[in-house]
Protein backbone atom coordinates (compact mmCIF):
# COMPACT_ATOMS: atom_id res chain seq x y z
CA UNK A 1 0.00 0.00 0.00
CA UNK A 2 1.34 3.44 -0.94
CA UNK A 3 0.58 5.02 2.42
CA UNK A 4 1.66 8.58 1.58
CA UNK A 5 -0.51 8.61 -1.53
CA UNK A 6 -3.38 7.08 0.41
CA UNK A 7 -3.10 9.86 2.97
CA UNK A 8 -3.15 12.41 0.17
CA UNK A 9 -6.36 10.86 -1.09
CA UNK A 10 -7.67 11.01 2.47
CA UNK A 11 -7.29 14.79 2.63
CA UNK A 12 -9.35 15.51 -0.49
CA UNK A 13 -11.56 17.64 1.75
CA UNK A 14 -8.60 19.24 3.54
CA UNK A 15 -7.86 21.96 1.10
CA UNK A 16 -4.60 23.50 2.26
CA UNK A 17 -2.26 20.61 3.01
CA UNK A 18 -0.94 17.56 1.27
CA UNK A 19 0.31 14.26 2.66
CA UNK A 20 2.01 14.21 6.05
CA UNK A 21 1.15 17.85 6.69
CA UNK A 22 3.43 19.25 3.97
CA UNK A 23 2.02 22.46 2.45
CA UNK A 24 0.83 22.28 -1.14
CA UNK A 25 1.40 26.00 -1.49
CA UNK A 26 3.68 28.38 0.30
CA UNK A 27 2.07 30.31 3.11
CA UNK A 28 2.22 34.02 2.50
CA UNK A 29 3.18 36.68 5.03
CA UNK A 30 0.23 38.53 6.49
CA UNK A 31 -0.37 41.57 4.32
CA UNK A 32 -2.20 43.40 7.09
CA UNK A 33 0.89 43.67 9.32
CA UNK A 34 3.06 46.55 8.02
CA UNK A 35 6.18 47.65 9.85
CA UNK A 36 5.03 49.75 12.82
CA UNK A 37 5.68 53.46 12.78
CA UNK A 38 7.15 55.25 15.76
CA UNK A 39 4.31 55.34 18.24
CA UNK A 40 3.50 58.14 20.62
CA UNK A 41 2.08 57.46 24.09
CA UNK A 42 -1.35 58.61 22.89
CA UNK A 43 -1.47 56.34 19.83
CA UNK A 44 -3.01 53.25 21.47
CA UNK A 45 -5.88 51.86 19.38
CA UNK A 46 -9.40 52.76 20.35
CA UNK A 47 -11.37 49.88 21.87
CA UNK A 48 -13.67 48.10 19.42
CA UNK A 49 -17.36 48.35 20.05
CA UNK A 50 -18.94 44.88 20.40
CA UNK A 51 -20.84 43.80 17.30
CA UNK A 52 -24.58 43.47 17.72
CA UNK A 53 -25.70 39.84 17.58
CA UNK A 54 -28.42 39.25 14.97
CA UNK A 55 -28.10 35.45 15.05
CA UNK A 56 -29.92 34.20 18.12
CA UNK A 57 -29.65 30.64 16.79
CA UNK A 58 -25.85 30.64 16.39
CA UNK A 59 -25.35 27.62 18.66
CA UNK A 60 -27.57 25.40 16.51
CA UNK A 61 -25.61 22.12 16.39
CA UNK A 62 -27.49 20.64 13.43
CA UNK A 63 -26.97 23.76 11.35
CA UNK A 64 -23.21 23.65 11.97
CA UNK A 65 -23.05 19.92 11.16
CA UNK A 66 -24.84 20.50 7.86
CA UNK A 67 -22.36 23.20 6.86
CA UNK A 68 -19.40 21.01 7.84
CA UNK A 69 -20.71 18.03 5.90
CA UNK A 70 -21.25 20.24 2.86
CA UNK A 71 -17.64 21.44 3.09
CA UNK A 72 -16.17 17.98 3.66
CA UNK A 73 -17.96 16.51 0.64
CA UNK A 74 -16.77 19.28 -1.69
CA UNK A 75 -13.32 17.76 -2.15
CA UNK A 76 -14.73 14.41 -3.23
CA UNK A 77 -17.35 15.93 -5.51
CA UNK A 78 -14.95 18.39 -7.15
CA UNK A 79 -17.11 21.29 -5.99
CA UNK A 80 -14.24 23.73 -5.55
CA UNK A 81 -16.25 26.96 -5.50
CA UNK A 82 -18.54 25.80 -2.71
CA UNK A 83 -15.48 24.71 -0.74
CA UNK A 84 -13.89 28.11 -1.28
CA UNK A 85 -17.06 29.87 -0.12
CA UNK A 86 -17.07 27.83 3.10
CA UNK A 87 -13.35 28.32 3.81
CA UNK A 88 -12.59 31.27 6.05
CA UNK A 89 -11.26 34.26 4.05
CA UNK A 90 -8.23 34.62 6.33
CA UNK A 91 -7.08 31.12 5.33
CA UNK A 92 -7.40 32.03 1.66
CA UNK A 93 -5.53 35.29 2.22
CA UNK A 94 -2.69 33.61 4.13
CA UNK A 95 -2.00 31.09 1.35
CA UNK A 96 -1.85 33.80 -1.29
CA UNK A 97 -5.39 34.39 -2.50
CA UNK A 98 -8.26 32.61 -4.18
CA UNK A 99 -6.36 31.63 -7.37
CA UNK A 100 -3.61 29.80 -5.45
CA UNK A 101 -6.19 28.23 -3.18
CA UNK A 102 -8.12 26.87 -6.17
CA UNK A 103 -4.92 25.52 -7.72
CA UNK A 104 -4.00 23.66 -4.52
CA UNK A 105 -7.49 22.24 -4.15
CA UNK A 106 -7.55 21.10 -7.76
CA UNK A 107 -4.32 19.14 -7.28
CA UNK A 108 -5.74 17.22 -4.33
CA UNK A 109 -9.13 16.69 -5.95
CA UNK A 110 -7.45 15.26 -9.03
CA UNK A 111 -5.50 12.72 -6.97
CA UNK A 112 -8.73 11.68 -5.31
CA UNK A 113 -10.52 11.36 -8.65
CA UNK A 114 -7.72 9.25 -10.14
CA UNK A 115 -7.98 6.85 -7.22
CA UNK A 116 -11.80 6.79 -6.97
CA UNK A 117 -11.79 8.25 -3.47
CA UNK A 118 -15.13 8.60 -1.74
CA UNK A 119 -16.27 9.65 1.70
CA UNK A 120 -17.69 6.41 3.06
CA UNK A 121 -18.85 7.76 6.43
CA UNK A 122 -18.78 11.05 8.29
CA UNK A 123 -19.93 11.52 11.87
CA UNK A 124 -19.44 13.87 14.78
CA UNK A 125 -18.22 11.98 17.86
CA UNK A 126 -18.47 14.85 20.37
CA UNK A 127 -20.70 17.88 20.85
CA UNK A 128 -19.19 21.02 19.28
CA UNK A 129 -17.75 23.75 21.49
CA UNK A 130 -19.21 27.23 20.97
CA UNK A 131 -17.36 30.35 22.18
CA UNK A 132 -17.51 34.04 21.32
CA UNK A 133 -15.57 37.29 21.35
CA UNK A 134 -16.90 40.83 21.10
CA UNK A 135 -16.96 40.59 17.31
CA UNK A 136 -17.28 36.91 16.41
CA UNK A 137 -18.94 33.59 17.10
CA UNK A 138 -16.69 30.51 16.98
CA UNK A 139 -17.27 26.77 16.94
CA UNK A 140 -14.83 23.88 17.31
CA UNK A 141 -16.27 20.68 15.90
CA UNK A 142 -14.68 17.22 15.92
CA UNK A 143 -15.20 14.88 12.95
CA UNK A 144 -14.62 11.21 12.32
CA UNK A 145 -14.62 9.83 8.79
CA UNK A 146 -13.76 6.76 6.77
CA UNK A 147 -12.50 7.23 3.21
CA UNK A 148 -12.44 4.46 0.63
CA UNK A 149 -10.35 4.46 -2.54
CA UNK A 150 -8.55 2.13 -4.94
CA UNK A 151 -5.55 2.38 -2.58
CA UNK A 152 -7.48 1.16 0.45
CA UNK A 153 -9.56 2.52 3.31
CA UNK A 154 -8.42 5.05 5.84
CA UNK A 155 -9.80 6.26 9.18
CA UNK A 156 -9.52 9.96 10.05
CA UNK A 157 -10.18 11.98 13.20
CA UNK A 158 -10.05 15.68 12.48
CA UNK A 159 -11.68 18.95 13.48
CA UNK A 160 -12.69 22.32 12.06
CA UNK A 161 -12.83 25.76 13.63
CA UNK A 162 -15.73 27.83 12.35
CA UNK A 163 -16.05 31.58 12.61
CA UNK A 164 -18.60 34.20 11.68
CA UNK A 165 -19.30 37.84 12.41
CA UNK A 166 -22.03 38.33 14.98
CA UNK A 167 -24.03 40.39 12.49
CA UNK A 168 -23.92 37.57 9.90
CA UNK A 169 -25.26 34.02 9.79
CA UNK A 170 -22.81 32.21 7.47
CA UNK A 171 -20.13 30.03 9.10
CA UNK A 172 -16.73 29.71 7.41
CA UNK A 173 -14.07 27.28 8.49
CA UNK A 174 -10.38 26.54 9.01
CA UNK A 175 -9.33 22.90 9.33
CA UNK A 176 -6.98 21.33 11.84
CA UNK A 177 -4.27 20.62 9.25
CA UNK A 178 -4.12 24.31 8.34
CA UNK A 179 -4.03 25.33 11.99
CA UNK A 180 -1.06 23.02 12.59
CA UNK A 181 0.91 25.25 10.20
CA UNK A 182 -0.54 28.65 11.08
CA UNK A 183 -1.12 29.81 14.68
CA UNK A 184 -4.81 30.17 15.38
CA UNK A 185 -4.31 33.77 16.55
CA UNK A 186 -3.00 34.64 13.08
CA UNK A 187 -6.19 33.31 11.54
CA UNK A 188 -8.57 34.44 14.30
CA UNK A 189 -6.87 37.18 16.38
CA UNK A 190 -9.73 37.37 18.89
CA UNK A 191 -10.19 33.62 19.39
CA UNK A 192 -10.70 33.08 23.14
CA UNK A 193 -8.04 31.30 25.16
CA UNK A 194 -8.52 28.11 27.12
CA UNK A 195 -10.37 26.15 24.43
CA UNK A 196 -9.48 22.46 24.27
CA UNK A 197 -9.08 21.12 20.73
CA UNK A 198 -9.92 17.55 19.69
CA UNK A 199 -7.16 15.09 18.85
CA UNK A 200 -6.40 14.22 15.22
CA UNK A 201 -5.26 10.96 13.69
CA UNK A 202 -4.96 9.18 10.33
CA UNK A 203 -4.63 5.39 10.08
CA UNK A 204 -5.15 2.81 7.34
CA UNK A 205 -7.83 0.18 7.91
Amino acid sequence: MHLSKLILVAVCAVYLTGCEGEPLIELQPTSSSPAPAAASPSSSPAPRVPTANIDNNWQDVERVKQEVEKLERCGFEGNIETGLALTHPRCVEIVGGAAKHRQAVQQVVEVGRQNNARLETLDFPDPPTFVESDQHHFVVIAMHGVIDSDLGRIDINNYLVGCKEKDQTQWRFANAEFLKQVPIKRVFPDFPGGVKFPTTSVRPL
Side-chain angles (χ1 to χ4, degrees):
M1 179 184 298
H2 303 288
L3 181 58
S4 63
K5 193 172 184 182
L6 178 57
I7 293 174
L8 182 55
V9 170
V11 295
C12 284
V14 181
Y15 292 136
L16 299 174
T17 56
C19 58
E20 300 176 355
E22 295 177 3
L24 284 170
I25 46 183
E26 182 180 355
L27 300 178
Q28 301 297 311
T30 305
S31 60
S32 58
S33 303
S40 65
S42 60
S43 63
S44 58
R48 297 187 68 181
V49 177
T51 299
N53 177 25
I54 68 163
D55 187 1
N56 294 324
N57 203 31
W58 70 278
Q59 297 187 57
D60 184 340
V61 173
E62 291 306 313
R63 173 178 148 199
V64 171
K65 286 180 179 179
Q66 289 172 6
E67 293 294 276
V68 168
E69 183 164 0
K70 186 189 304 182
L71 174 59
E72 291 303 297
R73 292 191 180 279
C74 286
F76 300 94
E77 297 169 355
N79 194 344
I80 295 174
E81 293 307 312
T82 298
L84 179 62
L86 289 170
T87 299
H88 196 274
R90 282 288 294 149
C91 300
V92 178
E93 175 190 347
I94 288 170
V95 300
K100 288 189 175 182
H101 182 277
R102 287 188 185 94
Q103 181 182 13
V105 175
Q106 188 60 55
Q107 292 173 14
V108 180
V109 168
E110 186 58 31
V111 172
R113 183 180 293 116
Q114 291 171 1
N115 292 279
N116 296 311
R118 69 182 185 89
L119 185 59
E120 183 178 301
T121 63
L122 177 66
D123 57 75
F124 303 94
D126 300 302
T129 299
F130 292 94
V131 292
E132 61 182 310
S133 68
D134 284 346
Q135 308 295 325
H136 297 97
H137 292 140
F138 298 98
V139 61
V140 179
I141 184 165
M143 304 177 297
H144 169 256
V146 175
I147 294 169
D148 187 28
S149 76
D150 292 346
L151 299 171
R153 296 170 71 240
I154 198 160
D155 181 277
I156 299 179
N157 288 291
N158 201 3
Y159 67 86
L160 294 174
V161 177
C163 175
K164 67 178 189 64
E165 300 277 351
K166 287 188 172 181
D167 58 0
Q168 299 177 0
T169 59
Q170 178 62 61
W171 290 101
R172 293 179 173 85
F173 299 92
N175 63 64
E177 297 303 318
F178 184 78
L179 296 173
K180 287 178 183 177
Q181 299 181 58
V182 181
I184 192 167
K185 287 290 190 178
R186 183 178 173 192
V187 184
F188 308 123
D190 58 343
F191 189 85
V195 176
K196 184 177 180 180
F197 295 98
T199 59
T200 64
S201 63
V202 179
R203 65 181 181 89
L205 296 174

